[in-house]
Amino acid sequence: MRDLAVVFDGAGVLYASFRIIKNIDRGITKRSRVSGLSCTDRLEKGAMVILKTRYDETLAKEEDSKLLSEVMKEKKIEIRVIYKRGEIDDEEVLETILNDRRIKLKDVHETMGFLKKCDILPVVGVALIVEMASKAIKFLIAGGIKFFPGTRKLLKELSQMDCAIFIASGDRIEPEEISVYLPEVPQENIFGMMTPEDKRDLVRKLKDRHKVIMVGDDRNDYLAFCESDIAVLSLQEAADRPSEIFEVTDFRIKDIIEVKKIIEELEEHKCGI
């Protein structure tokens, strides 16, 4: 096997996503299979933001009546804009969130309470979707994950094949949290809260030393797909994917274990690997 790096997106690729979404305008909270990316794209000038904090450590014990914006100020909770539609300044997004007077900790506790009833790993995050045209937060999301059945088996086999394995996810995953469940992936190769540009830049950097396979599932992987040597589209979860994603990918899979078969076939036929 030649020097090969495989870069995996997180949600929809290595693990299934569990989302509890609260529509702030309508006051409705429910589990949704619609991705945060799709919700963001439906807005005129949408931005999806991850709170760079662990809920159990900074938010769980806060009183229901407190405003999320005030707690964020008090505890200096930072954000990361992981996806946006249109020309949007990240600092303006932060300003909009910190000026919000609608979302209370009660809303955060409610969504997280529903989420924790699901069969998920204890790796959770809080996200917000902001409409910058009206400067208002439209959705509050509590997100969790559960690995697909073939994930651990695949990563173990790729490690035995001497493939360099990387995770490049837009989710709030931290190396020390997730590596407990994925010992085959070095902590230094795990990246969370990545933007589409971050993923592209990682693939570009790896190409200096590796042939790179990018395995993704949605529009935020488009730039990395275009940069990679081989692009693999995961269809393990239903999603409203744009047509451009299908146009730039070389393979489509419905089970993560198929990645190994792709590598073996490419190696057999010497197709760029």
Side-chain angles (χ1 to χ4, degrees), residues 96-134:
T96 297
I97 293 171
L98 294 182
N99 287 335
D100 175 75
R101 310 296 296 177
R102 295 198 298 172
I103 298 181
K104 295 185 177 181
L105 265 295
K106 177 182 178 181
D107 301 308
V108 181
H109 298 330
E110 177 189 25
T111 56
M112 195 60 71
F114 283 130
L115 178 68
K116 290 192 173 185
K117 293 177 182 179
C118 300
D119 181 19
I120 58 173
L121 295 174
V123 179
V124 297
V126 178
L128 302 169
I129 296 179
V130 184
E131 169 58 280
M132 291 306 295
S134 59

Side-chain angles (χ1 to χ4, degrees), residues 19-33:
R19 306 177 195 89
I20 306 298
I21 299 183
K22 180 157 191 172
N23 184 313
I24 303 303
D25 292 337
R26 299 172 63 190
I28 297 175
T29 303
K30 64 179 182 179
R31 182 176 173 184
S32 176
R33 297 192 181 278

Side-chain angles (χ1 to χ4, degrees), residues 1 3-9 13-14 154-155 158-159 161-168 185 189 202-203 206 210-216 228 230 232 256 259-260 263 273:
M1 179 66 62
D3 200 7
L4 176 66
V6 186
V7 181
F8 293 96
D9 179 29
V13 176
L14 295 177
L154 172 69
L155 296 181
L158 293 188
S159 178
M161 295 165 67
D162 293 326
C163 295
I165 305 171
F166 293 81
I167 299 175
V185 187
N189 290 4
L202 173 62
V203 170
L206 290 174
H210 303 273
K211 292 292 184 180
V212 181
I213 295 178
M214 175 67 200
V215 188
S228 66
I230 301 292
V232 179
I256 190 62
V259 171
K260 181 187 177 186
I263 294 172
I273 300 296

Side-chain angles (χ1 to χ4, degrees), residues 150-206:
T151 294
R152 288 294 308 277
K153 182 176 186 291
L154 172 69
L155 296 181
K156 184 176 181 179
E157 291 177 348
L158 293 188
S159 178
Q160 292 171 346
M161 295 165 67
D162 293 326
C163 295
I165 305 171
F166 293 81
I167 299 175
S169 174
D171 302 316
R172 193 210 67 80
I173 59 172
E174 297 180 15
E176 60 271 22
E177 277 187 298
I178 204 73
S179 63
V180 175
Y181 308 100
L182 298 176
E184 299 82 10
V185 187
Q187 283 195 21
E188 62 270 22
N189 290 4
I190 299 174
F191 302 91
M193 295 182 282
M194 297 195 89
T195 67
E197 293 78 13
D198 291 333
K199 296 184 182 188
R200 176 201 60 202
D201 293 345
L202 173 62
V203 170
R204 183 176 293 167
K205 180 180 179 181
L206 290 174

